[in-house]
Amino acid sequence: MQIRNWDDYQNNYQKSVEDPEKFWGEIADQFIWKKPYKKVLDWDFETPSIKWFEGGSLNITENCLDRHVKTHPNKKAIIWEPNDPNDDGLTWTYQELYNEVCSFANVLKKHGVVKGDRVCLYMPMVPQLAVAVLACARIGAVHSVVFAGFSAQSLADRIDDAKCKLIVTTDGAFRGQKEIPIKGIVDEAVSKCDCVEKIIVFKRTEQYVSMTAQRDVWWHEEMENASTDCPAEEMESEDMLFILYTSGSTGKPKGVVHTCGGYMVYSHYSFTNVFQYEADDIYWCTADIGWITGHSYIVYGPLLAGATTLMFEGIPTWPDAGRFWAICDKYKVNQFYTAPTAIRSLMSKGLEPVARYSLNSLKVIGSVGEPINEEAWRWYNTYIGKNKCPIVDTWWQTETGGIMISPIPNVTDIRPTYATYPLPGIQPILLDKDGNEIKENNVEGLLCIKFPWPSIVRTLYGDHERLKQTYFSTFKGYYFTGDGAKRDTQGRYRIIGRVDDVINVSGHRMGTAEVENAINEHPWVVESAVVGYPHDIKGQGIYAYIIPDRHIESEQAFIDEVNETVRKEIGPIAKPDIIQVVSGLPKTRSGKIMRRILRKIASGDISTLGDTSTLLNPDIVEEIIEKSPMIKK
Ligand code: WTA
């Protein structure tokens, strides 16, 4: 299934469009199925209802583990690099990982977890997180990984929405020089939910934690006598594999649901092709397993391919800004996959931290999560890839499950800042505002996909109607991505960014409404409006306009309190970069906030505000501009 040259790509692409069922059927046949599927695809984008490989049954962990244990048990599966470079790391072979996963699957079973139950994983980047993910899949439990930077309130909302009955967590987490109390956050979250019966705690930092009798147990004690023999549960192709919450344009996060068969086929297919993985390569994705990138390209994709996947616990700038490059040299990393925000942040530290390392093992370098700007692209290409490693600028989403548009190294051509061509099986189109397809090249439009691929989102947990409204109703018959894109004269795509109220801060996806809801929890806030603005390192920063209900004596003290409120409600990643206290917000006569105007002011550009005279309160625009820190006076 690995594409090797341009002709190959074109043939595969054509075949995937002309006869998708034959194309994906042949790929699916390369996996272990417990029962063969009867029909490759059944779909309509109206309901919407999308079913891949119906009638087939499988267990994804047999494809990630058992089959590799048979052929190469001693190959390294996971290499783990700890936060502190002076601490011992850890390596698990496929056999060792298999044993860990089966043992932990038995622990889950012992605590009453059965097929279909939801299990919440709230853990930092320790290898036990990958084990917990796979152990859930082994017994057919649905994992819901929550990024360990989210607050107790956000965690509680996600636990409650999915009605998780068990949580796997750690005592604490190391991040750079910080030690974070993970279990304490879980305790607070669980006090707000009544579905949780058990908490399993992996000891990482050895800090003090309180353990509730009957409810809380230690990972290491449970694992002591657990058997390494755990048969893989038989799953229907369309049974749920996992839920992953992501932000949308309304306040409540969406539980994106992926299912077993299609996700398996596509995460493997895309991994193999985009990274051109070869048998002895060491592959490293710097994402956190709390996001979709970690699910598909740290855990499932690489393990399905029998690859060696590296997991890193720490941060790029500690002990110094050379850490990523030190790790690349230490393990002779061949494929390196990171986010533009990390590149920009390291770029700002100068060349000295890079110059200390050879980086000569690298073959392919990648980027994901947000548009990469030209300057960062060139720096990455020159100093990290040394002009010899193709950069794969991969466009995709939590909802797409896998990479959709990306260069294929040494197969398709590269154009800086362009995600370029769709992978075989992916049929992107551009629409104008009225929903008409723009057929020619050298154009810009709204990015939609016109045909299902195996890892497309199947539903939003507990809210199928929202799935329909969000992705399938804006333009009838198409999946709408929420992104705007350009297509150049050669048919290559460049993703411009979101056209809805979703912002992308340091590669973290956030809904402006979500941040507003958090800010509004402060008792003095009457109303707020949050917009994104261009930020040198983060890509987008968060700019909040806030109307308080009283005269504010000390603005700074108030801003600090609002920040603290957001930290508590969502987590530190959602803290606004700029808070401006205002006496009103520009509104239309029907009372709608004119975000377009607020976005312009936040970006420091007031030359094209347009006609503001039709606003309900035109004077407010002057006041906001007057006090905005972004407008040079
Ligand atoms: C953005 C992350 C430009 C896009 C895998 C998308 C990108 C959102 C790129 C999904 C890219 C992701 N170029 N923009 N290469 N990759 N995006 O769900 O706006 O966290 O809709 O998935 O990130 O973010 P999510």
Side-chain angles (χ1 to χ4, degrees):
M1 62 173 118
Q2 203 157 343
I3 296 164
R4 297 296 190 179
N5 55 52
W6 176 243
D7 282 349
D8 214 9
Y9 168 77
Q10 284 187 309
N11 292 338
N12 275 282
Y13 191 83
Q14 202 178 354
K15 195 168 146 193
S16 78
V17 173
E18 281 166 7
D19 194 348
E21 295 204 36
K22 181 155 185 280
F23 177 78
W24 288 113
E26 283 172 16
I27 291 170
D29 288 343
Q30 299 169 33
F31 294 82
I32 303 173
W33 295 84
K34 284 180 182 285
K35 251 193 347 244
Y37 51 83
K38 297 210 172 71
K39 179 137 183 48
V40 174
L41 173 63
D42 190 21
W43 69 290
D44 80 80
F45 275 176
E46 194 66 26
T47 315
S49 159
I50 302 140
K51 294 186 177 142
W52 282 91
F53 312 115
E54 257 194 307
S57 69
L58 72 150
N59 188 292
I60 195 168
T61 68
E62 283 190 330
N63 288 281
C64 288
L65 300 171
D66 304 49
R67 63 172 168 161
H68 305 311
V69 168
K70 279 203 194 99
T71 54
H72 46 267
N74 298 323
K75 179 169 176 179
K76 290 173 187 160
I78 294 183
I79 298 175
W80 177 70
E81 167 74 8
N83 179 59
D84 187 332
N86 298 315
D87 284 353
D88 290 336
L90 174 153
T91 300
W92 278 328
T93 63
Y94 270 90
Q95 180 70 59
E96 288 165 332
L97 178 60
Y98 172 91
N99 293 348
E100 292 289 324
V101 169
C102 288
S103 303
F104 194 64
N106 281 323
V107 171
L108 291 174
K109 274 193 191 164
K110 175 183 147 196
H111 289 291
V113 179
V114 297
K115 179 174 173 179
D117 282 346
R118 276 81 54 214
V119 172
C120 175
L121 310 180
Y122 185 76
M123 302 169 86
M125 285 289 285
V126 288
Q128 286 73 18
L129 171 52
V131 169
V133 162
L134 295 164
C136 287
R138 187 80 178 170
I139 61 172
V142 176
H143 54 77
S144 166
V145 184
V146 177
F147 173 61
F150 278 117
S151 69
Q153 185 59 52
S154 292
L155 175 59
D157 293 344
R158 287 159 175 78
I159 292 171
D160 191 54
D161 188 73
K163 296 280 176 278
C164 296
K165 76 184 217 197
L166 187 143
I167 304 178
V168 188
T169 188
T170 63
D171 50 354
F174 293 124
R175 268 182 77 75
Q177 273 168 303
K178 286 196 209 138
E179 199 175 313
I180 299 154
I182 299 291
K183 173 65 163 54
I185 297 172
V186 171
D187 289 338
E188 195 188 328
V190 169
S191 72
K192 301 170 198 266
C193 320
D194 37 48
C195 47
V196 178
E197 294 164 17
K198 285 278 169 193
I199 303 178
I200 303 178
V201 188
F202 176 76
K203 201 176 262 187
R204 171 64 187 119
T205 58
E206 315 245 333
Q207 67 198 62
Y208 171 78
V209 296
S210 94
M211 297 287 277
T212 301
Q214 313 300 327
R215 190 195 67 184
D216 303 353
V217 296
W218 288 106
W219 172 295
H220 61 275
E221 289 177 4
E222 295 297 309
M223 287 288 269
E224 248 166 47
N225 300 313
S227 156
T228 56
D229 180 18
C230 179
E233 186 76 33
E234 181 166 350
M235 305 296 285
E236 297 300 319
S237 180
E238 283 298 337
D239 278 343
M240 239 189 281
L241 175 63
F242 66 84
I243 304 171
L244 183 59
Y245 286 89
T246 188
S247 298
S249 44
T250 64
K252 194 172 173 281
K254 307 179 275 200
V256 169
V257 170
H258 285 290
T259 56
C260 297
Y263 180 81
M264 170 178 76
V265 168
Y266 197 75
S267 57
H268 183 183
Y269 180 77
S270 52
F271 172 79
T272 311
N273 280 301
V274 170
F275 297 102
Q276 290 289 309
Y277 185 83
E278 304 286 339
D280 295 320
D281 287 347
I282 307 291
Y283 161 88
W284 180 22
C285 165
T286 71
D288 191 290
I289 293 177
W291 311 114
I292 191 67
T293 307
H295 281 61
S296 302
Y297 301 111
I298 295 178
V299 182
Y300 286 115
L303 295 177
L304 284 162
T308 301
T309 176
L310 197 149
M311 256 181 95
F312 174 45
E313 183 183 37
I315 56 172
T317 48
W318 190 79
D320 61 51
R323 188 69 193 278
F324 273 2
W325 323 128
I327 297 173
C328 284
D329 274 11
K330 177 173 175 187
Y331 297 103
K332 308 218 173 343
V333 169
N334 303 109
Q335 291 90 1
F336 175 76
Y337 190 30
T338 196
T341 184
I343 299 167
R344 286 190 298 262
S345 135
L346 297 176
M347 186 169 89
S348 74
K349 305 278 195 277
L351 285 175
E352 188 279 327
V354 185
R356 278 184 257 144
Y357 303 99
S358 88
L359 299 177
N360 56 18
S361 55
L362 292 175
K363 297 196 284 194
V364 173
I365 56 179
S367 161
V368 59
E370 51 176 314
I372 182 165
N373 50 308
E374 180 128 9
E375 193 190 355
W377 194 99
R378 298 219 175 269
W379 187 87
Y380 198 29
N381 187 46
T382 310
Y383 299 108
I384 308 305
K386 318 261 191 208
N387 296 306
K388 67 173 173 52
C389 302
I391 296 182
V392 289
D393 177 357
T394 62
W395 173 82
W396 58 298
Q397 309 177 299
T398 305
E399 296 86 341
T400 70
I403 296 167
M404 303 284 281
I405 304 183
S406 168
I408 300 179
N410 309 315
V411 170
T412 61
D413 61 9
I414 300 278
R415 176 169 180 192
T417 77
Y418 276 66
T420 70
Y421 297 109
L423 296 191
I426 307 304
Q427 301 186 35
I429 57 165
L430 295 179
L431 300 183
D432 66 18
K433 278 201 193 65
D434 304 319
N436 303 311
E437 181 171 353
I438 310 171
K439 291 226 167 90
E440 57 272 31
N441 280 343
N442 204 9
V443 288
E444 197 174 309
L446 300 164
L447 181 63
C448 291
I449 316 286
K450 70 174 174 195
F451 195 84
W453 61 100
S455 61
I456 183 174
V457 53
R458 299 301 198 273
T459 190
L460 298 178
Y461 192 74
D463 199 351
H464 198 71
E465 182 57 26
R466 189 170 175 199
L467 177 88
K468 180 174 174 166
Q469 289 308 328
T470 313
Y471 308 100
F472 298 95
S473 298
T474 319
F475 303 111
K476 287 267 173 296
Y478 302 114
Y479 167 86
F480 176 45
T481 65
D483 280 316
K486 274 185 184 164
R487 189 168 53 218
D488 72 4
T489 52
Q490 313 294 309
R492 295 173 297 203
Y493 289 88
R494 169 177 164 73
I495 288 35
I496 304 166
R498 304 287 308 194
V499 295
D500 53 12
D501 290 324
V502 171
I503 50 178
N504 214 315
V505 182
S506 299
H508 300 318
R509 182 169 155 182
M510 239 168 290
T512 53
E514 219 177 319
V515 184
E516 287 163 8
N517 289 351
I519 292 173
N520 298 349
E521 286 298 311
H522 189 286
W524 294 4
V525 174
V526 179
E527 196 177 14
S528 62
V530 167
V531 297
Y533 72 97
H535 187 287
D536 285 349
I537 306 270
K538 298 178 172 185
Q540 279 187 298
I542 302 178
Y543 194 127
Y545 300 88
I546 301 183
I547 311 177
D549 69 350
R550 63 196 71 194
H551 174 70
I552 304 288
E553 287 294 334
S554 159
E555 249 183 41
Q556 194 50 51
F558 175 60
I559 288 171
D560 291 346
E561 277 184 33
V562 170
N563 274 325
E564 184 53 24
T565 308
V566 174
R567 202 186 59 77
K568 269 195 138 151
E569 289 294 316
I570 306 179
I573 51 171
K575 263 194 333 207
D577 298 277
I578 299 174
I579 291 180
Q580 182 177 357
V581 178
V582 295
S583 69
L585 292 165
K587 290 191 176 170
T588 62
R589 285 181 196 274
S590 60
K592 221 173 129 215
I593 298 173
M594 288 292 283
R595 286 167 193 283
R596 189 179 53 78
I597 293 177
L598 296 175
R599 274 196 288 265
K600 287 268 178 209
I601 299 173
S603 68
D605 168 21
I606 49 169
S607 60
T608 53
L609 280 188
D611 182 14
T612 55
S613 63
T614 57
L615 291 175
L616 194 63
N617 48 353
D619 297 344
I620 201 68
V621 177
E622 277 312 308
E623 180 203 305
I624 295 177
I625 291 174
E626 185 59 36
K627 292 209 200 125
S628 170
M630 300 302 284
I631 310 292
K632 308 237 169 1
K633 273 128 209 147

